[in-house]
Amino acid sequence: MSLFNLFGRPSFNHGIHPPSNKTVTGKTPIRRLPFPGMLVIPLNQHIGKPAIPIVRKGDEVVRGQPVAKADGFVSVPIHAPATGRIKGIELMPTALGKNAPSILLEVYEGATQEVLWGEEQTIGDMSDEALRQAIQDSGMVGLGGAAFPSHVKLTIPEDKSVDTLVVNGCECEPYLSCDHRMMLEHPRALMRGIRYAMRATGTQQAVIGIEDNKMDAVETLRANLPRDGSISVEAVETKYPQGSEKMLIKSLLGREVPAGGIPSEIGVVVNNVGTLAALGQLLPKGEGLIERVITVAGPGVKQPGNYLVPLGTPIGFVLDQVGYEGSQTEFILGGPMMGPAVSALDTPVTKGTSGLLVLNEPDIESETLRIWPCIRCARCVDACPMHLNPSHLGQLAAKRKYETMAEEFHLNDCFECGSCSYVCPSNIPLVQYFRIAKAINREQAA
Amino acid sequence: MKKSKSQIELRTTPHTHAAGDVVKIMRNVVYALLPIAGFAIWQFGLSALALLITVTLSCLLTERFFNWMGSGYNSLGDWSATITGILLALTLPPAFPLWMGAVAGIAAIALGKALFGGLGMNVLNPALVGRAFVQAAFPVAITTWTPAFFDGRFSQFAPSTLALPFLRPPSVDHWIELLQVDAFSGATPLALYKFEGIQTDTVELLTGMTTGSAGETSALLILVCGLYLAFRRMLDWRIPLTVMGGVALTSALLSLFDPERAPDTVFMLFSGGLMLGAWFMASDMVGSPVTPLGILIYGLLIGSLTVVIRVYGGLTEGVMYAILLGNAATPLIEQITQPRVFGQRASK
Ligand code: SF4
Ligand code: SF4
């Protein structure tokens, strides 16, 4: 289908077009949610080593004060989202299903929204080294969902050099629109964040890629571009998974990240718009990441929208605020294509939570349909953005040939985007098969 | 936190799914075949109707029998046996003895499908397996053609239709004489072309005013029904297109190298079972490759084999064998056409 690229917007090959379901939330401004009575703050909200708590039970903390410090380079500190008292450090449920050590913070009644910690800093005066340190100190991670520490991503290894910063404003998952709102409401902060990221990585140019269903964001950002031409905005085709790093790089720059590799190998570093906008807001004030915008949506939600939520807010509290209904319900953290379903309503919103979806039985019905044999319709092959052969992989998985899957059919290039399962008319849970196959291969390698 | 009354579902990603599943696809294929079957009945009358019903029922019963032998689970609901039945009936001569039609149906499902393990596992197209079986078993009956649009076709059966099992069916020659159809030669356009060098008029081929199997005669109708499916994305348009491309290409090549015997491209495309084969049998998902390059090779292979068999083979019609060969070659084709994975450095 690459021929169509000549006429349409830049894009990658394959992919799918699920209904976007963003119209309502994309149009409503971000609103702030009140503090819950208790915040649950997991120490491992990021990829890497969990943070080390620096407070003890009974301590009083103010909004913005660090409560845990980074444990080494691939780790970030955590700051108190509200003024209150530490109730303890306990094992609590998380989005990943496993319980993890979390700081319990009892929020004082009438606690202020004002951030009471942090010192203004002039970024221009900092060395690049100090800038990266400041980014780590802010506790920033990829807010698109990966939650990878930003300062690590923005530190380019000595032996590599990158020439382009790709700023990911695609938000290709259905329902989610928090990045969209950030672009519309905080374009200047985003531009600041992009500058910081360019300095930290030593890149001379930045490209913001936005799906063409958000032309208002494209226009807003174009109006806010610096005059020197170092930053540009590009509308790309609305297609899932346009927002995956590899696909967006391909769409914008025509470069392919080598299989098994990372973008810096081809001179690119990718950051999400939400992350950079938050960085642009926090760094000058010397504050830490204590709240984030999440999209709360889905047919079961009474007041869908984008909400600014203190980190550690239990999803049950969020749902009580927005109202929801439905008897057989599924709660998803993130988007419907890749976000995990959670069972515990005291699971907290963390740095990597981009959305909270409530799907009711009619919407999830298709998943309960029976699984038919693969009829070799080739839809999955035409959908897979990695150009794998999910049909064949699925058949191998059914025969438990997990090693062949990895060695001959590139199983490890699958990033579990879900496009294949989405289109499969036989309702074969291909992604689930692949996850299991990978897990078993990992286990056997260990 | 209220809401303990509700049930919380925990499911795996993705949490949403495209509309449409196997049953819907299959059901739409049935819808698309109905006008073609209807036309066959209008054209050939009661005999064609009885044949369609018999063959389809035979397929369904055989499928049910294997359900019962195997998992016990009822797979009639997926419509695939229905499709096989209708397609098979459409490839048979309209006055084909009913009992032979039943045998064809049994062979199609038993040998073409159940033997391989049911839906999705079959290598060959079941309808064509059934057709190949009766072609070998009843060589005379399968080449006995009857005229279309004769008067009284809705009030009487062709004498061969009701032949008793295991007996030689009565000859239809006398019956056809009595019908007093003008200029009925008893030969299909392809046979006329092959053995007598007569090329049937294109308009007649398009509209189905010719002799042939119950459902292969109206190329135009088949094209329209196929396009309907393609537009509804229930059929991979790449396959019929490449098959037809293969036919055109091979005819063109032949006219360069062997102009004496080279066929006319348009005639090749619109005669015999090519349209039905290209749109409804070669495109059967189960027997065709899933890789993009594989689909191209598969289609071209079937197209060119069809022409080669028609021109050089001993048979008048090559579509069936071409598709069966294409089906058989599919695993190999797929093996050599695995897509280049994203980020893989150019293949060695
Ligand atoms: S989940 Fe994996 S195999 Fe399926 S479409 Fe995405 S990358 Fe391809
Ligand atoms: S989409 Fe499903 S049925 Fe179709 S080829 Fe892929 S796995 Fe098979």
Side-chain angles (χ1 to χ4, degrees), chain B residues 92-97 99-100 134-135 137-145 160 169:
Chain B
L92 298 172
F96 201 58
W99 73 269
M100 292 183 184
V134 289
Q135 175 113 37
F138 314 115
V140 178
I142 199 109
T143 48
T144 304
W145 308 103
S160 54

Side-chain angles (χ1 to χ4, degrees), chain A residues 380 383-388 390 393 413-421 430-431 434:
Chain A
C380 53
C384 179
M386 295 304 290
H387 294 219
L388 305 179
L393 281 170
D413 287 316
C414 164
F415 64 105
E416 297 168 26
C417 70
S419 301
C420 49
S421 300
L430 294 162
V431 182
F434 303 161

Side-chain angles (χ1 to χ4, degrees), chain A residues 165-444:
Chain A
L165 170 73
V166 165
V167 184
N168 188 346
C170 292
E171 204 165 44
C172 59
E173 277 261 14
Y175 290 106
L176 301 189
S177 61
C178 51
D179 282 351
H180 184 192
R181 291 311 307 180
M182 284 301 277
M183 291 189 278
L184 288 178
E185 295 179 35
H186 303 286
R188 308 192 70 93
L190 173 58
M191 293 302 156
R192 271 201 303 278
I194 293 174
R195 289 237 169 268
Y196 303 155
M198 288 170 75
R199 258 195 65 194
T201 53
T203 45
Q204 298 306 313
Q205 59 161 346
V207 192
I208 310 173
I210 302 174
E211 281 193 343
D212 59 7
N213 59 354
K214 294 182 271 287
M215 290 313 281
D216 50 349
V218 172
E219 273 149 37
T220 308
L221 294 190
R222 282 208 173 125
N224 282 280
L225 289 181
R227 289 177 189 281
D228 63 4
S230 58
I231 307 178
S232 59
V233 180
E234 189 86 55
V236 291
E237 191 195 348
T238 301
K239 180 163 82 170
Y240 181 85
Q242 186 71 265
S244 106
E245 283 191 349
K246 293 183 176 184
M247 301 311 134
L248 184 58
I249 294 173
K250 172 87 180 177
S251 301
L252 289 175
L253 308 172
R255 303 182 200 171
E256 271 186 27
V257 179
I262 55 170
S264 66
E265 288 173 32
I266 52 164
V268 184
V269 60
V270 185
N271 265 260
N272 158 275
V273 286
T275 312
L276 294 184
L279 213 52
Q281 288 173 325
L282 298 177
L283 274 197
K285 295 190 277 181
E287 292 176 2
L289 181 66
I290 53 174
E291 54 195 5
R292 68 156 298 155
V293 180
I294 69 170
T295 304
V296 187
V301 175
K302 288 195 186 134
Q303 282 177 285
N306 286 292
Y307 295 92
L308 186 59
V309 184
L311 296 175
T313 303
I315 60 169
F317 179 81
V318 177
L319 291 171
D320 284 344
Q321 297 294 312
V322 299
Y324 75 106
E325 60 198 353
S327 59
Q328 206 176 358
T329 318
E330 189 176 29
F331 302 109
I332 295 155
L333 286 184
M337 296 301 296
M338 293 181 80
V342 291
S343 57
L345 289 181
D346 44 4
T347 305
V349 170
T350 60
K351 292 178 178 178
T353 310
S354 50
L356 170 56
L357 306 183
V358 182
L359 301 185
N360 285 333
E361 186 52 26
D363 321 305
I364 45 181
E365 188 180 48
S366 55
E367 293 177 50
T368 59
L369 290 180
R370 62 169 284 227
I371 299 171
W372 299 90
C374 169
I375 55 165
R376 301 171 42 77
C377 67
R379 290 186 186 184
C380 53
V381 180
D382 294 332
C384 179
M386 295 304 290
H387 294 219
L388 305 179
N389 185 340
S391 161
H392 197 73
L393 281 170
Q395 273 157 6
L396 287 173
K399 294 187 204 139
R400 296 178 204 277
K401 292 195 177 157
Y402 301 128
E403 269 169 32
T404 320
M405 289 169 75
E407 279 156 21
E408 287 169 41
F409 294 94
H410 311 279
L411 172 67
N412 295 327
D413 287 316
C414 164
F415 64 105
E416 297 168 26
C417 70
S419 301
C420 49
S421 300
Y422 177 83
V423 294
C424 178
S426 287
N427 299 316
I428 302 174
L430 294 162
V431 182
Q432 183 63 6
Y433 288 178
F434 303 161
R435 249 194 296 263
I436 293 171
K438 286 185 204 169
I440 290 178
N441 281 342
R442 262 196 307 272
E443 217 153 87
Q444 262 160 14

Side-chain angles (χ1 to χ4, degrees), chain B residues 3 5 16 20 25 43 55 58 94 149 154 158 179 182 233 236 238 278 294 310 313:
Chain B
K3 281 276 175 187
K5 63 175 192 302
T16 116
I25 295 179
Q43 207 178 3
V55 176
S58 156
F149 298 113
F154 294 114
L179 291 175
D182 292 341
R233 304 205 159 251
D236 196 332
R238 291 174 294 186
R310 279 178 179 182

Side-chain angles (χ1 to χ4, degrees), chain B:
Chain B
M1 270 155 262
K2 46 163 194 179
K3 281 276 175 187
S4 47
K5 63 175 192 302
S6 69
Q7 187 184 342
I8 298 181
E9 298 284 326
L10 265 187
R11 293 189 179 143
T12 161
T13 59
H15 304 280
T16 116
H17 193 272
D21 60 3
V22 171
V23 180
K24 192 169 158 207
I25 295 179
M26 299 285 187
R27 208 173 43 226
N28 273 276
V29 176
V30 174
Y31 294 159
L33 283 172
L34 285 181
I36 302 172
F39 184 76
I41 295 166
W42 182 54
Q43 207 178 3
F44 295 104
L46 275 186
S47 295
L49 175 67
L51 186 65
L52 268 160
I53 294 176
T54 310
V55 176
T56 310
L57 268 182
S58 156
C59 284
L60 288 172
L61 288 176
T62 314
E63 175 100 355
R64 192 76 192 93
F65 173 75
F66 281 101
N67 284 168
W68 172 73
M69 293 265 292
S71 60
Y73 141 79
N74 185 345
S75 64
L76 297 191
D78 66 22
W79 295 95
S80 60
T82 314
I83 295 175
T84 301
I86 300 178
L87 274 178
L88 176 54
L90 291 180
T91 62
L92 298 172
F96 201 58
L98 294 182
W99 73 269
M100 292 183 184
V103 170
I106 296 171
I109 299 293
L111 303 179
K113 195 168 168 195
L115 199 66
F116 293 97
L119 176 64
M121 311 298 278
N122 50 304
V123 176
L124 305 172
N125 184 311
L128 289 178
V129 171
R131 154 96 202 197
F133 183 85
V134 289
Q135 175 113 37
F138 314 115
V140 178
I142 199 109
T143 48
T144 304
W145 308 103
T146 49
F149 298 113
F150 59 87
D151 291 333
R153 60 189 186 279
F154 294 114
S155 57
Q156 56 173 311
F157 287 106
S160 54
T161 298
L162 299 175
L164 290 175
F166 307 113
L167 295 180
R168 172 186 286 273
S171 160
V172 291
D173 295 346
H174 182 62
W175 174 70
I176 292 174
E177 253 166 53
L178 287 181
L179 291 175
Q180 295 185 324
V181 185
D182 292 341
F184 177 73
S185 69
T188 61
L190 275 171
L192 285 177
Y193 167 77
K194 189 171 181 83
F195 301 121
E196 290 163 49
I198 305 170
Q199 190 165 316
T200 311
D201 186 51
T202 312
V203 176
E204 281 178 21
L205 289 172
L206 280 172
T207 51
M209 304 301 153
T210 62
T211 315
S213 305
E216 353 182 286
T217 52
S218 173
L220 201 60
L221 184 64
I222 295 169
L223 198 65
V224 169
C225 293
L227 282 173
Y228 158 81
L229 277 186
F231 274 112
R232 298 217 50 198
R233 304 205 159 251
M234 310 276 179
L235 178 149
D236 196 332
W237 55 271
R238 291 174 294 186
I239 293 174
L241 234 62
T242 47
V243 172
M244 288 161 65
V247 169
L249 214 69
T250 315
S251 312
L253 277 180
L254 283 185
S255 66
L256 276 184
F257 297 110
D258 194 358
E260 203 114 303
R261 305 180 65 177
D264 177 69
T265 308
V266 177
F267 177 67
M268 280 288 116
L269 279 176
F270 293 108
S271 59
L274 199 266
M275 276 296 151
L276 192 70
W279 287 91
F280 288 94
M281 296 195 224
S283 64
D284 177 16
M285 296 156 175
V286 178
S288 54
V290 296
T291 57
L293 184 61
I295 288 173
L296 180 72
I297 296 177
Y298 168 86
L300 292 179
L301 179 75
I302 291 177
S304 48
L305 275 176
T306 303
V307 175
V308 169
I309 297 176
R310 279 178 179 182
V311 176
Y312 297 102
L315 300 158
T316 52
E317 178 52 306
V319 177
M320 171 178 77
Y321 291 108
I323 295 177
L324 285 173
L325 281 169
N327 288 161
T330 290
L332 180 70
I333 294 177
E334 211 168 279
Q335 209 172 23
I336 57 172
T337 57
Q338 287 298 327
R340 188 191 76 96
V341 172
F342 186 96
Q344 212 69 26
R345 285 150 187 114
S347 49
K348 313 112 230 173

